[in-house]
Amino acid sequence: MSYFDAASAAPLHAVARQALTASLDEGWADPARLYREGRRARMLLDAAREATAEAVGCRADELVFTASGTSAVHSGIAGALAGRRRAGRHLIVSAVEHSSVLHAAEVHQAGGGTVTEVTVGRTGAVSPSGFAAALRPDTALACLQSANHEVGTVQPVAEVAASCRAAGVPLLVDAAQSLGWGPVEGAWSLLAASAHKWGGPPGVGLLVVRKGERFAPQGPRDERESGRAAGFGNLPAIVAAAASLRAVRAEAAEEEVRLRELTERIRARVPGLVPEVEVVGDPERRLPGIVTFSCLYVDGETLLHELDRAGFSVSSGSSCTSSTLTPSHVLRAMGVLSEGNIRVSLPPGTREEDVERFLAVLPEVVAGVREKLGAPVSTGEAVSRPGEDTALVVDALGRRCPIPVIELAKVIGDVPVGGTVRVLADDEAARLDIPAWCEMRGQQYLGEEPAPGGTSYTIRRLT
């Protein structure tokens, strides 16, 4: 089995396993106690904090360990907003932040605060000038991920941090995806990350708050971790997280070159191997191991199951793979195709032969799924017959994507150039996938309007 979902959770690094096993014998006591076992545990905790702070690029007394990356994000946002309540209650986030950031923003807004979502382009990156334009006199905090978790696009953190610093606004960076590859550049104020993203054990997050930043921890106070993370920490896991971070950093330069070559191979060859594919994310400014693409006329959930049967563990942002049945908020913000979406995220140590086997298996798997769904073999080549109507209506109400898009593709050639097709659909994914299909196929998307039972999407044939 080839595990290609390191962006969700990286396999436990060998050094983490060794450190975890060793510290189970030495780090079980309460590090706040003064007896021998407590002092020994305290030494392990202090050493882990020093090592992690060095890797992050901060002072040891600026860093606390939390129960998860999500906990670090939530505590960081809540504490920073509370600490700057006199400045205002305006929060800025990008439209492609991790759900932990967006959920915290929802809570802030429900409590009377205001939130601005900064849009992104088709590569998934914010514009530094666009982010700067969102800053206001009452902005209390801004949040920007260092790199996107779904498409791998690296964000212009240094430029955004400079704008925030000039405006006197702290910037919180979610560095979960990138910290294993190197420190985050720029004058950021707060940083959150999660150990299981770099090969450490799950259940360990970290939160950094720079000295001088106004910060008021929320919830009942605890004497541990500077009052910013309550409860008895999992010291063996913390030690393992710190050890694995140092280990992956030592291997990062060599692994980055190797994984970039492998992901570039996937990016370059998939469009030639599989028809009707859109590779998404920035082609240059991206993390080494992530490559994401979307296949037209494919059910994402079925595609994941078939790849799993073929021996590959991958993930997807397609609506049919989520419990909400809505497209990934990242793909939606980018305005790219969501159906048949596949994210391949290679862990360190991925073998070249496994990538080659994936490229060999993928075309057959996609073709099989398309055949089951009755997708067209080719599109846009039919010639309109004289006397046909210049408008067609496709009733796809009650049918989930990609069926509405498949039905559109089947009939677009049955109207003359300049004619229109109206697709009736009630699946939320159609709002994203039909315009994306038009862009991929060179057709004109005219817009949407309410229709009985759903929405009507109008497309004009150009080619």
Side-chain angles (χ1 to χ4, degrees):
M1 192 75 181
S2 297
Y3 181 75
F4 287 175
D5 193 22
S8 294
L12 190 66
H13 195 283
V15 168
R17 188 182 303 276
Q18 294 167 1
L20 182 63
T21 302
S23 58
L24 284 172
D25 293 330
E26 297 292 328
W28 51 268
D30 187 345
R33 300 305 174 216
L34 299 179
Y35 41 70
R36 181 185 298 108
E37 294 85 356
R39 295 197 305 272
R40 187 181 300 131
R42 183 71 193 192
M43 289 175 61
L44 288 173
L45 178 59
D46 289 345
R49 197 186 312 276
E50 289 281 354
T52 306
E54 181 181 359
V56 172
C58 67
R59 292 170 38 157
D61 58 356
E62 294 175 330
L63 185 149
V64 299
F65 294 106
T66 65
S68 66
T70 295
S71 176
V73 165
H74 291 171
S75 298
I77 291 176
L81 288 171
R84 282 178 46 82
R85 62 169 60 91
R86 290 185 179 180
R89 302 201 63 196
H90 178 232
L91 172 66
I92 300 174
V93 299
S94 85
V96 294
E97 293 299 307
H98 188 269
S99 58
S100 61
V101 173
L102 299 183
H103 291 161
E106 290 172 0
V107 170
H108 177 63
Q109 194 164 29
T114 58
V115 178
T116 296
E117 264 195 17
V118 179
T119 60
V120 298
R122 283 186 67 84
T123 65
V126 301
S127 160
S129 60
F131 206 101
L135 294 165
R136 305 188 327 207
D138 64 335
T139 301
L141 177 67
C143 300
L144 181 64
Q145 59 191 192
S146 55
N148 187 258
H149 50 291
E150 288 196 29
V151 299
T153 296
V154 172
Q155 298 289 356
V157 172
E159 296 95 320
V160 169
S163 298
C164 290
R165 177 61 61 92
V169 174
L171 176 68
L172 183 149
V173 178
D174 173 10
Q177 289 297 335
S178 72
L179 195 59
W181 296 107
V184 178
E185 297 181 354
W188 47 267
S189 303
L190 300 95
L191 181 142
S194 185
H196 75 279
K197 300 289 189 179
W198 67 66
V204 179
L206 61 90
L207 172 64
V208 177
V209 181
R210 294 288 198 189
K211 286 294 181 181
E213 295 295 340
R214 292 187 176 276
F215 191 88
Q218 299 301 285
R221 293 299 298 269
D222 193 295
E223 70 275 10
R224 302 177 190 275
E225 295 299 295
S226 305
R228 294 172 184 171
F232 194 112
N234 185 344
L235 182 53
I238 290 172
V239 171
S244 59
L245 182 56
R246 292 187 66 175
V248 298
R249 282 290 187 82
E251 303 161 355
E254 182 177 347
E255 277 298 307
E256 178 174 356
V257 172
R258 210 173 62 81
L259 291 187
R260 280 197 187 279
E261 193 282 325
L262 293 177
T263 52
E264 185 56 41
R265 189 180 307 186
I266 298 173
R267 288 181 64 90
R269 288 175 56 184
V270 164
L273 294 170
V274 182
E276 314 289 4
V277 163
E278 180 180 18
V279 181
V280 300
D282 195 293
E284 302 295 335
R285 288 179 55 85
R286 58 188 175 87
L287 291 176
I290 298 180
V291 57
T292 305
F293 56 88
S294 299
C295 307
L296 273 175
Y297 320 130
V298 170
D299 171 3
E301 184 173 10
T302 302
L303 184 55
L304 258 62
H305 287 322
E306 292 300 318
L307 286 170
D308 183 48
R309 290 177 59 188
F312 296 97
S313 303
V314 298
S315 62
S316 172
S318 293
S319 60
C320 49
T321 64
S322 68
S323 59
T324 60
L325 292 179
T326 58
S328 149
H329 71 277
V330 172
L331 301 179
R332 184 168 62 243
M334 294 168 62
V336 299
L337 184 70
S338 74
E339 64 183 71
N341 177 261
I342 293 295
R343 180 187 67 183
V344 175
S345 49
L346 307 178
T350 297
R351 302 181 304 174
E352 180 180 359
E353 52 264 39
D354 290 336
V355 171
E356 286 297 329
R357 190 169 67 87
F358 174 78
L359 292 170
V361 165
L362 182 66
E364 182 179 350
V365 170
V366 173
V369 175
R370 285 174 172 169
E371 184 178 1
K372 290 178 183 178
L373 293 173
V377 176
S378 61
T379 59
E381 298 176 357
V383 178
S384 302
R385 294 179 289 275
E388 286 188 334
D389 292 336
T390 60
L392 284 177
V393 176
V394 174
D395 187 351
L397 293 171
R399 309 185 74 182
R400 306 233 74 85
C401 279
I403 300 302
V405 181
I406 289 175
E407 296 303 315
L408 166 62
K410 287 179 177 179
V411 304
I412 191 69
D414 292 339
V415 298
V417 172
T420 59
V421 176
R422 291 176 58 233
V423 180
L424 305 178
D426 55 2
D427 182 8
E428 178 66 22
R431 179 166 283 111
L432 178 61
D433 289 344
I434 289 177
W437 177 89
C438 290
E439 179 152 342
M440 290 179 68
R441 301 299 307 163
Q443 311 299 346
Q444 183 181 11
Y445 177 65
L446 298 179
E448 65 176 75
E449 59 185 17
T455 303
S456 172
Y457 303 91
T458 303
I459 299 92
R460 174 177 288 127
R461 182 184 175 190
L462 298 182
T463 62

